[in-house]
Amino acid sequence: MSLDLDKIAPQVEKMTEHIDAGDAERQKHLAKAMSVLCDNSLSLDDLKNKITSGKISWMPAEPVENLSNKYSPGKPPANFTILATDGSQIDVDRHHSTRYFLINIGSVYLKYGDSPDALLESRPQLYFDKTDLVMASPDGSNREVAIEGSLLGIKRDIEEFKCLTQMAASLKEEIPTLLLADGTLIRWNLMSKDIPEFIVSEFLEKGFLKCLDDIKEISDKKMIALASYISYPRSSDVVGAIRIAICPNEPVNCDKCRREHPNGDYPCNVVDGIQDKDLFSTLLENGERSAVFISRSSIQERYGLHRIYFYYVNIEDEIARIEIPEWIARNDTLLDITHTLILDQCHKGQGYPVALSEAHEQAVVTAADRESLQALVEASLSGKNIQVNKSAKSSSKRTRWI
C-alpha cells in the first residue's frame, strides 16, 4: 500500500506555517552570530582559553585563526591527479542460515593535464569465514562481537581508506594529487559505549589511523593531500564557539547556568537554531573558504598527529565542510591544494566532486544486486547439496497473501 498523501497534506501545511513563523526570529539569531564572528576586537587567545577551561555541555570548534578569515582559491596546477573511493555493503541476513556479508569499494583515478587518463573500478569482496564475521576479544575472555549493522559500516569505511592508501602508494608520477573521501574523518560511530575497547582499537589504531600513517609517509615524499567532503553539513561547531564568546561567565559552566536559569532562558540562546552553514553562506563569496578550525571530539585524543581540522567552502549553491588531518592543515601548500582541487572537482561535477560521484556509481549495490547475490549463493549451495534454511518471516515477505 502506498503512502496516503491526502492524510499527510494538512500536516505538511502545518509544518510550513511553523517554519515560516520562526523565520524572523532565526534571522535575528543569525545577525547576532555574524556580529560575533566578524568582531575584530574578539581576542582569539581569550576565546581559546575560555573554550579549553570551561565546563561545556556541547562541542565547540577550537579556532586556529580569526573566525572571520576567508581565502580565495588558487588556480589548479597544469597537471594533477584525483583519487577517490566510496563503498557500499550487503549486510548479514539474519533470516538466512548462510551468514556472509559483502563490501563493494568503488575507486576512481582521474589524471588531468598534458596526458589525461582515467580508471574507474569496483572491488567487491565477500566475507564468510568466522574470523571475518565476528571479532573476538584478545584477552582470552571468549567475548565475540558480530560484524554487522553499524559495525559493518565502520569496517566498510576502513576498507575505503585501505583502498585509497593502496592507490596512493601505486602512483608513479610526482604531480600534485588529492585523495578524496566522502563523509567525515572523525570516527564518531566508535564513541558508542556499546562498542568494546578491543574493537575500537582494531578499527581505529590498527585500521583507520594506520592508513593515515601510511598516507602521510607517502605525502612526505610526494605532493599528496588528503581531504574529506561533507555535502550540506548540519554541524554547529563554530556556532558553539560563538556561544562561548557570548557567555558572560568566566569560566563557562553550563551546569551552573542551567541552575541559575531553570526556565531555559540562557544568555547564549540569542544564536539558537543557527548552523555553521548559515554563517558561512553569509560570509563567503562563491569559491572562498573559511578559516580553519579544530574539532574537539573526545575521540580526537587518540588521533595524535592526525587530529582533524576543518573548514567550510562556498560552492555555488551550498556550503560544504572539508575535513583534513592536522599535517595538511599546517602545510599551506597542501591546504591550498585541497581547496583549489575540491573546487575544481565541484565545477566539473555540477556542484559536487565528480570523482566522488563516479566512485559512488562504481560502489553502489542495488536491491536487484542483493537478490542476484542471494540467488547465486543459494544456487551454489544447492549444487553442493547443502540445505538452505530461511525464516518464516523472510518467506512471508516473498508471498502476496491479499
Side-chain angles (χ1 to χ4, degrees):
M1 180 179 177
S2 60
L3 182 65
D4 191 337
L5 292 179
D6 288 339
K7 293 179 180 178
I8 295 294
Q11 300 173 47
V12 171
E13 184 65 26
K14 186 178 290 186
M15 179 184 72
T16 303
E17 292 172 357
H18 173 77
I19 293 172
D20 184 56
D23 190 60
E25 187 72 11
R26 181 179 169 279
Q27 290 301 319
K28 286 172 55 180
H29 290 181
L30 176 57
K32 177 61 179 178
M34 288 299 301
S35 71
V36 178
L37 184 79
C38 299
D39 183 0
N40 293 328
S41 67
L42 183 66
S43 168
L44 189 63
D45 289 337
D46 288 348
L47 179 56
K48 286 183 178 180
N49 291 334
K50 205 172 179 182
I51 290 172
T52 55
S53 63
K55 188 175 183 181
I56 305 164
S57 57
W58 64 88
M59 191 181 63
E62 182 180 326
V64 174
E65 53 187 309
N66 289 337
L67 304 184
S68 59
N69 282 2
K70 55 183 182 177
Y71 304 89
S72 298
K75 184 179 179 181
N79 297 280
F80 64 92
T81 302
I82 307 291
L83 305 180
T85 56
D86 197 12
S88 61
Q89 67 211 43
I90 297 178
D91 209 335
V92 176
D93 185 351
R94 67 186 188 89
H95 296 289
H96 201 285
S97 60
T98 306
R99 297 181 62 80
Y100 61 88
F101 62 80
L102 178 135
I103 294 177
N104 191 35
I105 304 298
S107 65
V108 170
Y109 162 86
L110 298 175
K111 182 186 173 187
Y112 298 89
D114 299 331
S115 53
D117 195 7
L119 179 62
L120 286 68
E121 292 184 304
S122 66
R123 309 182 186 192
Q125 179 65 51
L126 192 68
Y127 298 83
F128 51 85
D129 192 86
K130 182 181 178 181
T131 57
D132 296 325
L133 299 174
V134 299
M135 291 181 66
S137 173
D139 62 6
S141 63
N142 293 323
R143 182 179 184 184
E144 293 183 340
V145 178
I147 304 303
E148 57 188 12
S150 61
L151 286 183
L152 178 54
I154 298 171
K155 180 176 177 61
R156 186 204 70 226
D157 288 343
I158 294 168
E159 293 302 319
E160 291 173 21
F161 265 86
K162 286 181 179 178
C163 179
L164 199 59
T165 305
Q166 292 167 3
M167 293 170 68
S170 67
L171 288 173
K172 304 300 182 184
E173 294 185 88
E174 295 191 10
I175 59 176
T177 299
L178 174 64
L179 311 187
L180 197 53
D182 182 44
T184 183
L185 298 178
I186 304 169
R187 296 297 171 225
W188 307 97
N189 40 20
L190 286 173
M191 295 175 65
S192 171
K193 294 179 180 179
D194 296 330
I195 300 180
E197 172 56 31
F198 73 89
I199 290 182
V200 177
S201 177
E202 185 69 27
F203 279 159
L204 188 63
E205 278 86 3
K206 298 177 184 178
F208 179 62
L209 295 181
K210 175 62 168 60
C211 289
L212 295 190
D213 284 338
D214 294 341
I215 291 172
K216 184 181 184 303
E217 184 176 347
I218 299 168
S219 179
D220 288 341
K221 301 172 184 176
K222 301 178 181 179
M223 193 176 292
I224 291 180
L226 167 68
S228 72
Y229 186 95
I230 303 173
S231 178
Y232 203 75
R234 295 185 174 185
S235 46
S236 299
D237 304 50
V238 179
V239 175
I242 289 174
R243 284 182 179 274
I244 292 175
I246 292 170
C247 181
N249 299 319
E250 288 277 6
V252 177
N253 188 325
C254 292
D255 291 338
K256 180 181 177 183
C257 193
R258 277 191 288 268
R259 291 193 299 269
E260 293 176 348
H261 301 274
N263 60 349
D265 187 21
Y266 311 128
C268 63
N269 282 359
V270 291
V271 294
D272 266 4
I274 303 303
Q275 296 180 336
D276 291 352
K277 61 182 174 61
D278 302 319
L279 295 176
F280 295 110
S281 63
T282 305
L283 178 70
L284 301 176
E285 298 295 332
N286 185 28
E288 290 182 334
R289 74 163 176 87
S290 73
V292 171
F293 302 88
I294 305 173
S295 170
R296 289 181 53 81
S297 167
S298 60
I299 201 167
Q300 291 264 64
E301 297 170 3
R302 304 175 72 145
Y303 271 55
L305 55 81
H306 303 303
R307 189 168 54 151
I308 302 305
Y309 289 49
F310 65 91
Y311 62 83
Y312 292 92
V313 61
N314 187 332
I315 300 175
E316 298 177 3
D317 295 329
E318 77 163 3
I319 298 295
R321 172 168 164 144
I322 311 301
E323 293 185 350
I324 49 179
E326 181 173 302
W327 48 274
I328 297 288
R330 297 198 175 277
N331 182 315
D332 290 342
T333 300
L334 295 181
L335 178 60
D336 288 343
I337 284 176
T338 66
H339 179 196
T340 300
L341 294 188
I342 284 174
L343 193 62
D344 184 70
Q345 278 287 290
C346 289
H347 289 159
K348 289 179 168 67
Q350 299 181 347
Y352 185 77
V354 65
L356 288 179
S357 293
E358 294 297 337
H360 172 77
E361 289 301 316
Q362 294 297 312
V364 68
V365 176
T366 66
D369 292 331
R370 296 170 191 269
E371 292 179 3
S372 296
L373 175 60
Q374 184 166 320
L376 179 63
V377 169
E378 291 176 3
S380 180
L381 292 171
S382 178
K384 297 290 186 181
N385 294 318
I386 300 173
Q387 184 176 359
V388 178
N389 296 316
K390 303 175 187 176
S391 71
K393 182 176 181 179
S394 177
S395 300
S396 176
K397 285 183 176 181
R398 298 171 186 270
T399 305
R400 292 298 299 270
W401 295 100
I402 298 177

